[in-house]
Amino acid sequence: MSRALDPLEPTSGALKPSKAVARKLTSAGPALTGLGQPIAPVFAAMAVMVLVVLAITYARSADAVAALWGAGGLAVAVWLRTSRGALYDLSFGGLIATGFAAGNLLAGNSLELTAMFTVANMLDVFVAVLLARRFAPTLNLASVQGACRFLLSAAVIAPIPAAAFAGGMLWWMNGADFLDTARTWWFGHTLSVAVIGSFGLAVTRREVARLRAPARTAEAVVLLGGLTALSVLVFTRTAIPAGFLIIPVLLLIAVRLRMIGVTAALVIVTILAVGGSMGGYGPYGMFEGPDRAMMAQLLVLFGYLPMLLVAALLEERDRLSDRAKAGQVRAERASEAKSRLLANVAHEIKSPVGGVIGIGELWKAGQLGPVSSTQAEMADMLVKTARQVEALAHDLLDVARAESGAVKVELRPTDVPGVLEDVRRTTALRPDAQGMRLDVVAEGDGLVALADSQRLTQVIANLASNAVKYGGEGGVVLFRASKIYDGVRIEVIDRGAGLSPEKQTQLFEPFNRLGLERSTVEGHGIGLALAKRLVELQGGSIGVISTPGEGATFWIELPAA
């Protein structure tokens, strides 16, 4: 059998025994390790004995079978929480069997019934523990999958063999109705494991620590106290079928107290619903025989027990939310570190590059001595390359500032057609734009956006530069401005090769040149990433529409002034 971890087992390293002592403890057997291991089985057996006496005395429904059986759920929970190996399982099983037998004898059962019920209950508990270890080994009810696995295996399926055994034996011994006794056994033991077993697994150190806060303790007392009062009213003081009133309170407890609160609430509701019905009170008191208890059992199983899954879903959402927040914090820290690195690199590049440009200009002008034509050409290449590095440094600095929030934009009414015309004229002076047709189209009047004119010009100039470099074979670059429902749309259109859908998804990633790193087209892959950030700082959005072979349309949407 797999080893079930004890969530309550101390993990602090404040008092760690030496290796020699640890070996002695281990060799002494599992009863000396873990949380109160020598005491837990004894207390569990005593509690099982008390619960057996109470169930047989007050909750018998079909012949000798009790409709409310808490002993099985308690035994399953403690066994799963404290198990340490085969020897421990054998010792624990013996103590629990003794508790079942003693309880039956104290309640007045004959030796034959005591032996039969002890075997049936141990079969029930053993199968539940075996299936839980097999199908829900983590015993984690704080996830929908874990809760479903435990409920289905340990609560729904596990009681079936024992129910069939008890039903058959009581039919053979007393002539009892097989279906009634088997059905009552299954309902009672399913409720026991689903409610009391789940509560035992939900009580962890983390949950207990969460309830220690005074405000949370007061909230738990108020909610559970209110649920108790409402359950007493619904199941013992009135014959009106008002069990639906319990559901909103259970939902509130699931939202506020999560799994430990819901399991505790289900224990309270189950005892009052089934116990009240067995006593002839409440909306099901009018029924006769086993049907009276079965109606209350059905209400709890199908009406209230699904709240366990609601609590598990909320627990799982909280855990995923915590992970997402932690990941966001790490990502923000990494982004801040990257921005600082980019800023430092840019500053370190700018100073020496400025010196290189100055020396190259002096050399080219002949102020450092006579210059041959070859030397002048080399000096010109040196200056050109150095200016490219300087432009890269400026772009890196802009990216770092934009990501760190250091870039300030001054939003004011900006004439979009005027900005487009300025960018068109500047782009037309580029050597690679010679022979291309650059047009500006303004569709309508009042094309005034709320933007930072300097930053907007920078963004459109970057788009125009890309259109000339990558879409120049089309021979045309079009700048278009138009109105949209709540702002102004700007488009830079080329007739080049276009972009595939895969490349469009990577377009605004920094330092991603989409496989053109070895091409003759100059670039560093940060212009569009910077453009996206600058547009977002102005309250706008940016994107691309493209089909391979049909060019590309880069668009910007900004709020109207």
Side-chain angles (χ1 to χ4, degrees), residues 349-436:
I349 290 175
K350 285 175 63 178
S351 298
V353 166
V356 171
I357 293 174
I359 294 173
E361 294 285 359
L362 294 175
W363 183 21
K364 178 181 176 182
Q367 297 183 24
L368 300 180
V371 180
S372 64
S373 59
T374 302
Q375 291 174 335
E377 183 179 354
M378 295 297 295
D380 186 58
M381 291 178 59
L382 175 66
V383 172
K384 181 179 178 182
T385 304
R387 291 198 181 280
Q388 291 176 354
V389 176
E390 185 182 41
L392 172 61
H394 282 293
D395 288 344
L396 287 175
L397 192 57
D398 283 341
V399 169
R401 288 173 176 170
E403 291 186 348
S404 64
V407 173
K408 304 300 180 184
V409 293
E410 297 182 5
L411 302 180
R412 60 185 64 182
T414 301
D415 179 40
V416 173
V419 172
L420 295 180
E421 181 60 29
D422 292 340
V423 173
R424 186 197 69 80
R425 292 176 181 176
T426 303
T427 306
L429 300 177
R430 294 172 54 94
D432 48 2
Q434 300 301 318
M436 295 187 64

Side-chain angles (χ1 to χ4, degrees), residues 72 74 92 142 144 155 168 225 339 371 439-440 500 530 544 560:
L74 175 66
F92 188 90
V144 176
S339 299
V371 180
D439 295 331
V440 175
S500 65
L530 176 60
V544 63

